Amino acid sequence: MSNPQQLRYSKEHEWLSAVEDGVATIGITEYAANALGDVVYAQLPEVGETVTAGETCGELESTKSVSDLYSPVTGEVTAANQDVVDDPSLVNSAPFEGGWLFKVRVTDEPADLLSADEYTAFSGN
């Protein structure tokens, strides 16, 4: 399993793209997707909603369990991936591509986000 170098990661297993024009894309890591098992339901934050770094903003349900979704940054949601709502298995099959979850106009970014190498060491993968 390879964590893309250009992304940053939270200790709750979310990834964050580089901020472009103030907006970042967020998803869960391949490690988290594999730990969850087959994702069958995704409840994502709504466009216009404010999310706060480290706080719950949605939920992913798999055949194994239900897991809270945490935002790695603070800001306003600008998009939610309707493709994932319609086909939650995208979280498992393409966690770093089509399985992204939502986009945020970032107003605050915690200093404790991890690089790919730091996340790999943290997660053991």
Side-chain angles (χ1 to χ4, degrees), residues 14-100:
E14 281 83 25
W15 58 261
L16 171 76
S17 71
V19 177
E20 293 181 26
D21 296 325
V23 176
T25 302
I26 295 166
I28 66 165
T29 64
E30 186 175 5
Y31 172 82
N34 288 339
L36 272 172
D38 295 333
V39 177
V40 296
Y41 174 77
Q43 184 249 319
L44 305 177
E46 295 182 17
V47 172
E49 185 177 334
T50 298
V51 293
T52 302
E55 292 190 8
T56 304
C57 64
E59 186 176 274
L60 295 174
E61 183 177 326
S62 72
T63 54
K64 291 181 182 178
S65 66
V66 176
S67 180
D68 286 333
L69 177 62
Y70 297 90
S71 180
V73 294
T74 299
E76 181 181 336
V77 176
T78 62
N81 190 347
Q82 187 61 44
D83 291 342
V84 166
V85 173
D86 295 341
D87 181 7
S89 70
L90 287 171
V91 171
N92 298 105
S93 63
F96 296 113
E97 294 91 22
W100 63 273

Side-chain angles (χ1 to χ4, degrees), residues 98-109:
W100 63 273
L101 300 176
F102 59 100
K103 296 184 181 203
V104 173
R105 182 164 308 282
V106 178
T107 57
D108 185 44
E109 189 175 312

